[in-house]
Structures are given as C-alpha cells and as structure tokens.
C-alpha cells in the first residue's frame, strides 16, 4: 500500500466476507427445504432418543443445518451432563 | 438448422434481464444471426422501450395468441440491423392471457425462421416465468453480486433444472470493480462458487447503460463502453467461441489523483 492508501485505509472489516458466509448459510436452508417445523421435530426426537442413554442439557442442545463442501450437514450439538444407565 | 430458444431470467427483479435481452439480441444480429427477441412480461412491457421501438407497436403477443393477427404482423423489424425482430408484450393484459401451450406453439413456429429466439422473462417464479421457460432449450440466469439476487437466482436455477432444462448458464451483472477491490462486494468467484453453474458473462456497472436506456439505443450498437464489449463477448461465447473474460480494472483513488494532476499539468 502506498502512503495515501494507508491514510485512507478502512477501519472496519470488509463486508464481503460477512455476505459470503451469510449467503452460504441462507442457501443451505433454502435448498434443503426442511421447514422450521420439521427441524424442531427432528430436534425433539433426537433429544428424546439421546436422553434415554445419556443425561444431556436439553435447553443448550442445538440442531442446525451447516454448509459443507460436498453435502449440507444436519449438525446436532449436545452438551452431556452425566451418564445414566438405561435400566436404572 | 432450427433456432436456439433461450430464456433470460433471474428470479429477482431489476437485475438487468431486459437490457441483457436487448443487447444480446443486438450483438447476435451484428454477427449476422437471425434473431427475434420476445417480451414475456405481459402487463409490464419494457423490452420495447429499452430497444427504442415503442412507437412502432401495432400488435403484440396476446394479439397473436388470440388470433387477431398473424405472427408476421406483430413482429417489429429493427431497422438498424439486418435481421433483428421484436415481439412485444401486451401492456393491458396479464400473464394469464397466454397459456403454456401457446408459448410452446409460438416458439416452435419461430424455430424455422430464426437462429436465435431470446425470451425476456419477467421476475418471479409464477406463471410469467413458467410461460417464459416452457418453450426454451437453454436459460441464461442474470444475477447481481448481492445476497438477495443470488438467493433468488439459486431458486430459479433449481426450478429450471427440475423442468429438465440442462443448459443453464450465468451472467453476473453490475460488477463494480472499485467496490470489489475494497472488499465490500461479492466478487465473481464468490457468486460462481455458490451457484455452481457455468459462467458465460460478466457485465460491469456502467453509466452508459442509463444513457442508452434514456435514448432507446441499446449500448451494444455503440460499442465503446465496457458493458457493450461485455455483451458482445457473451454473444461470441453463445456461438461457441472461446473469449477470455475482461479484466475489469478498478480505478483506484491514487490513479484518479494522478489523472487529475495530469489534467492540471496540461491546462497549465
């Protein structure tokens, strides 16, 4: 960068990167065509099944769609509190 | 050889379909192709205005479809070029005035008399779009480098591919090299990466387009601006030629300062 360019250099991060990430995420949801209702149902059932085997933090559990190189991904992020054996 | 029927569409409104249709029609005609451009935006016609032919409309596409005139009578010959015709839309009807079957029949009728049939699609995903795409073999998707336009383009591409049309290519319009350089505009790579279809053209933001629309003289006729060159390049690529994409130069601040200093020097 020359002197003048450095004087007028931007202070905030460029918005292009923000736009790119937002766009990728928006398209994942658009393309997969999973309705918010279906996503909620998936989340509830995943929580329900996992809870039979492990104690988890239901409120902090997240089930989201993520962009990926080859496939979009359904990602379940589940905090584990303790373990609970099934027959107790 | 029968004509190639190409729909120019986008999903999003206002990204440059009509201007692209007009200018691609002109560019192809300047290369000796027999071209007809069709305004499929019934009720909101604009292709006539962009081409500067609005004062010559006698019959329109709805008149043809409803049998009030023959196709030949409705086609307006652009006197500036050897073989370029316009089939205007109706202004007083709406998209339901023409059926899908009508459009297929119309396209078939024109296949023998032309090399290219370019259809200017309306915005949206409803009947107007479906009318515009049903008779086509190929599609050109126009988008601008911003989230709403790219999102809509993605949806449209999905719809077109589910109709079985495989030849779908992308034109990115209104690229502003200065803003891209600054990091505030999605660049070509970003858009092509997410839409994942073949890129056939890049059209830079160009003031000359506004002026050309004011005058009713498609910019491709005048050939001096970057946008004009971009349209001509797309026409060549449509004909199968391998034309490298223009390197769009951003006019940097210091470069502009240098030019101003040069002006001062000359004036002094």
């Amino acid at each position: 960068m020359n002197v003048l360019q450095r004087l007028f250099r931007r202070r905030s991060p460029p918005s292009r990167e923000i736009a790119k990430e937002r766009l990728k995420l928006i398209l994942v949801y658009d393309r997969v065509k999973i309705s918010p209702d279906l996503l909620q149902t998936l989340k509830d059932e995943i929580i329900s099944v996992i809870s039979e085997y492990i104690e988890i933090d239901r409120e902090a559990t997240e089930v989201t769609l993520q962009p990926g190189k080859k496939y979009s991904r359904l990602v379940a992020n589940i905090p584990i509190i303790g373990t609970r054996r099934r027959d107790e | 050889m029968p004509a190639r029927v190409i729909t120019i569409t986008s999903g999003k409104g206002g990204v440059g379909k009509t201007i692209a249709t007009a200018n691609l029609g002109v560019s192809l005609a300047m290369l000796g192709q027999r071209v007809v451009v069709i305004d499929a935006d019934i009720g909101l016609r604009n292709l006539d205005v962009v081409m500067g032919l609005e004062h010559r409309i006698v019959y329109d596409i709805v008149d043809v479809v409803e049998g009030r005139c023959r196709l030949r009578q409705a086609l307006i010959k652009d006197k500036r070029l050897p073989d370029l015709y316009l089939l205007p839309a109706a202004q007083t009807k709406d998209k339901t005035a023409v059926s899908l079957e009508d459009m297929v029949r119309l396209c078939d009728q024109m296949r023998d008399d032309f090399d290219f049939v370019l259809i200017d699609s309306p915005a949206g995903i409803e009947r107007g779009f479906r009318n515009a795409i049903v008779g086509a073999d190929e599609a050109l998707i126009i988008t601008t480098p911003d989230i709403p336009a790219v999102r809509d383009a993605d949806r449209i591409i999905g719809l077109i591919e589910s109709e079985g049309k495989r030849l779908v290519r992308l034109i990115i319009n209104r690229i502003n090299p200065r803003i891209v350089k600054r990091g505030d505009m999605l660049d070509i790579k970003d858009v092509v990466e997410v839409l994942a279809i073949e890129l056939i053209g890049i059209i830079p933001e160009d003031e000359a387009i506004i002026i050309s629309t004011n005058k009713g003289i498609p910019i491709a006729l005048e050939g001096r601006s970057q946008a004009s060159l971009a349209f001509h390049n797309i026409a060549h690529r449509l004909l199968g030629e391998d034309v490298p994409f223009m390197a769009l130069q951003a006019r940097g601040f210091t470069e502009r300062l240098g030019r101003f200093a040069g002006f001062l020097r000359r004036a002094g």
Side-chain angles (χ1 to χ4, degrees), chain A residues 33-49:
Chain A
K33 300 187 198 26
I34 291 183
S35 68
D37 278 347
L38 179 53
L39 200 55
Q40 186 61 44
T41 303
L42 282 169
K43 182 179 178 182
D44 293 340
E45 296 198 16
I46 287 171
I47 287 177
S48 167
V49 167

Side-chain angles (χ1 to χ4, degrees), chain B residues 143-207:
Chain B
T143 188
T144 46
D146 58 88
I147 295 176
V150 175
R151 180 192 201 173
D152 288 0
D154 189 67
R155 179 95 204 271
I156 278 282
I157 292 167
L159 288 173
I160 292 174
E161 287 181 343
S162 70
E163 300 249 334
K165 320 265 177 194
R166 299 268 157 246
L167 197 44
V168 181
R169 288 182 284 194
L170 182 67
I171 296 173
I172 301 178
N173 194 20
R174 308 188 73 171
I175 278 272
N176 187 322
R178 191 175 48 84
I179 303 182
V180 168
K181 192 171 177 181
R182 217 170 68 197
D184 279 328
M185 180 178 271
L186 292 168
D187 77 10
I188 295 148
K189 243 182 349 94
D190 298 334
V191 177
V192 173
E193 189 186 313
V194 303
L195 292 178
I197 60 174
E198 182 193 333
L199 180 69
I200 193 175
I202 304 162
I203 304 164
E205 183 77 72
D206 193 336
E207 259 183 28

